[in-house]
Amino acid sequence: MLPTFLTEIPSDPDGFDASNPDDWLTWFVGVPLRVILIVAIGSIALALLRRVIRRVTDHIADGTPSLRSARLKGLGQTEVGSALLRANPLANARRAARARTIGSVLRSAANIIIGTTVVLMVLAELGLNIGPFLASAGIAGVALGFGAQSLVKDFLSGTFMLLEDQYGVGDVVDFGEVVGTVEEVALRVTKVRAGDGTLWYVRNGEILRTGNLTQEWGRAVVEVRVAYWADVAQVRSVLLQAAEGVRADPVLGVSVMEPPEVLGIEELTAEAMLLKVQIKTQAAQQWEVGRALRAAVREALEDARIPLAGAQQVVVLDHSPAERDDDGSRSAGRSAARGAAAAAAVRKPGAAGPA
């Protein structure tokens, strides 16, 4: 069975004159013109939709609204507006990755929907029965849904992850078994670079929990264990001075968001007391501030002659053969004196503690 647009061309020479332009025009304004209009309208609609999607996602990625009033139009061109847009580079990178990924998905969906619609309309104009195609597409969709459940789960999880802004490129995340820096975010998988350089490909549908270590703000926490007989007030004062020194640093001080805190005794044992000093920092700066804080705490405790727990405890074991005097008796007195001298030599000068 021939398509309709071919059967519309009369095969009878008396009904159709190939040399007559009117006959060609009559045939052309039928099915061929409708097919051309369907393809043209579909192409124009697809181009406009892709342009709108690209424009909106670009504005979201750049941090500027797509629809701005005349009063707000020049805000982003001022120094204050530019500074606000560049205030958080990690947030900007995460927003840009999220916007471009969602834009890519929307453009792909628009291509599939409009392209499929145009093809089915053209087939209907050509006189073909599209009922079997629609039925086959429905059956194939059901089969694909059952057979690719994990793939659909990955895509849905990736979509919600992007919309909820759980993490983005440059974030340090904890997925349970994988801890590292996010290098690429897609709808199906997320690429995470571990500390040892291993690049992990994590399927979004398998991520049960996400710990984002670099979102909004962080906290540098240093635990200090000192001897249980140390003066708590003095220790807290020394720790606070060390933290204030880090806060006053011209480079690291910019990352400090709040005054440092020295918590009370968190743990008390027969050997030591545990105190904590913490500083609230900007996102992804807690590790650098924490390293500087540990160095400052060590120097401050050394200057104040406050030993860390265990620094003053020395155990000397003398396994040398027992010495005997000329009369054959053990010289226990000399062995005890030698052990005491060794302990005194090992003990740090000026260390506090019981004799």
Side-chain angles (χ1 to χ4, degrees), residues 76-355:
Q77 300 176 356
T78 62
E79 296 182 359
V80 177
S82 301
L84 291 176
L85 294 177
R86 298 190 302 268
N88 195 339
L90 291 178
N92 293 338
R94 181 168 57 249
R95 183 181 60 249
R98 183 172 68 255
R100 292 192 173 94
T101 302
I102 295 177
S104 177
V105 174
L106 293 178
R107 286 192 294 269
S108 299
N111 293 339
I112 295 174
I113 294 174
I114 295 180
T116 303
T117 303
V118 169
V119 170
L120 292 177
M121 293 179 67
V122 170
L123 292 178
E125 289 295 334
L126 296 179
L128 298 178
N129 187 10
I130 63 174
F133 291 98
L134 296 178
S136 301
I139 296 174
V142 173
L144 182 62
F146 280 103
Q149 292 183 10
S150 60
L151 183 62
V152 175
K153 182 180 179 181
D154 294 339
F155 274 93
L156 291 178
S157 300
T159 301
F160 283 106
M161 178 271 299
L162 290 172
L163 294 176
E164 295 172 359
D165 191 19
Q166 297 179 11
Y167 55 85
V169 176
D171 285 343
V172 179
V173 295
D174 183 357
F175 288 151
E177 297 182 356
V178 178
V179 180
T181 305
V182 178
E183 289 194 351
E184 184 177 343
V185 179
L187 286 180
R188 195 179 70 86
V189 295
T190 298
K191 296 181 181 180
V192 180
R193 180 77 65 176
D196 58 356
T198 304
L199 182 62
W200 293 91
Y201 293 82
V202 184
R203 288 172 47 190
N204 295 330
E206 296 181 350
I207 300 176
L208 301 180
R209 65 178 181 88
T210 302
N212 195 328
L213 307 180
T214 55
Q215 197 169 39
E216 296 183 2
W217 56 272
R219 178 172 281 126
V221 181
V222 175
E223 297 182 350
V224 181
R225 296 180 182 271
V226 296
Y228 74 93
W229 60 79
D231 187 353
V232 178
Q234 181 187 8
V235 174
R236 295 188 63 178
S237 176
V238 171
L239 294 179
L240 185 59
Q241 292 178 3
E244 290 291 347
V246 175
R247 184 187 180 190
D249 185 89
V251 178
L252 296 178
V254 180
S255 303
V256 178
M257 300 178 61
E258 293 181 359
E261 296 178 318
V262 178
L263 305 181
I265 301 177
E266 296 291 322
E267 183 181 346
L268 180 61
T269 63
E271 294 80 14
M273 294 185 298
L274 174 64
L275 291 88
K276 289 184 180 181
V277 53
Q278 60 186 21
I279 300 178
K280 186 176 180 179
T281 67
Q282 296 178 356
Q285 298 298 320
Q286 61 267 31
W287 298 290
E288 190 67 26
V289 174
R291 286 188 285 267
L293 182 59
R294 292 184 186 91
V297 166
R298 175 187 174 279
E299 294 179 359
L301 292 177
E302 184 178 3
D303 294 339
R305 295 183 179 274
I306 300 176
L308 295 175
Q312 74 284 354
Q313 298 177 3
V314 179
V315 179
V316 179
L317 299 177
D318 187 5
H319 297 286
S320 60
E323 298 181 3
R324 296 180 178 275
D325 293 333
D326 296 338
D327 57 358
S329 62
R330 291 177 180 272
S331 55
R334 286 199 299 270
S335 299
R338 184 167 57 251
V346 175
R347 183 186 299 275
K348 182 179 179 180

Side-chain angles (χ1 to χ4, degrees), residues 3-11 16 26-32 34:
T4 306
F5 79 102
L6 293 178
T7 58
E8 288 186 357
I9 302 179
S11 58
F16 179 81
T26 303
W27 171 79
F28 179 76
V29 296
V31 174
R34 290 197 296 269

